[in-house]
Amino acid sequence: GGSRGGGEAGRAGRGRRPDSSPLEAELIAVRSRAETTAILDKSRVNPKTLTSVLGALIQVCTWVYEWARDHQMLNIIHYSRYTEILGKGRRTEQALELLAEMRREGVQPGTITYSALISACEKGNQWERVLELLVEMRREG
């Protein structure tokens, strides 16, 4: 009935940004590096387009993460991978917020998570935070 239609409308709104390009949609569906390279090679990608595409892909990762969180499916591996993605996207503050969320959920960060966080902080030039994370990592074993 009514809830089904609302869910579909919600998915349609979140599945693709209104301003996303066909290139972004095509890249989201790729299954290999070779396929990605072929798409980018045939497209006329410029720095502005590349910035938009990378932002869209990070946004899709965020939507996947939020869905998994809402369905209580996350584990340490998922948190670590998402932390790594945020770091590579230079979203340092979001990566640090994820650490706090992990702790609230009772998930103990491991070496891989800390490494991703440290890398994110390095990319964000947050050297004091890097040192704090190293101390935390050592203290937590």
Side-chain angles (χ1 to χ4, degrees), residues 14 59-74 82 94 101:
R14 291 184 76 187
Q59 183 60 57
V60 169
C61 290
T62 299
W63 291 334
V64 170
Y65 164 80
E66 290 170 349
W67 178 88
R69 182 192 59 211
D70 293 348
H71 288 81
Q72 300 178 343
M73 296 177 68
L74 297 172
Y82 187 51
Q94 201 173 347
E101 181 178 318

Side-chain angles (χ1 to χ4, degrees), residues 17 32 42 47 54 60 80 82 115 129 136:
R17 296 181 328 192
S32 70
K42 78 174 181 172
L54 292 172
V60 169
S80 296
Y82 187 51
S115 294
R129 191 63 177 126
E136 286 178 37

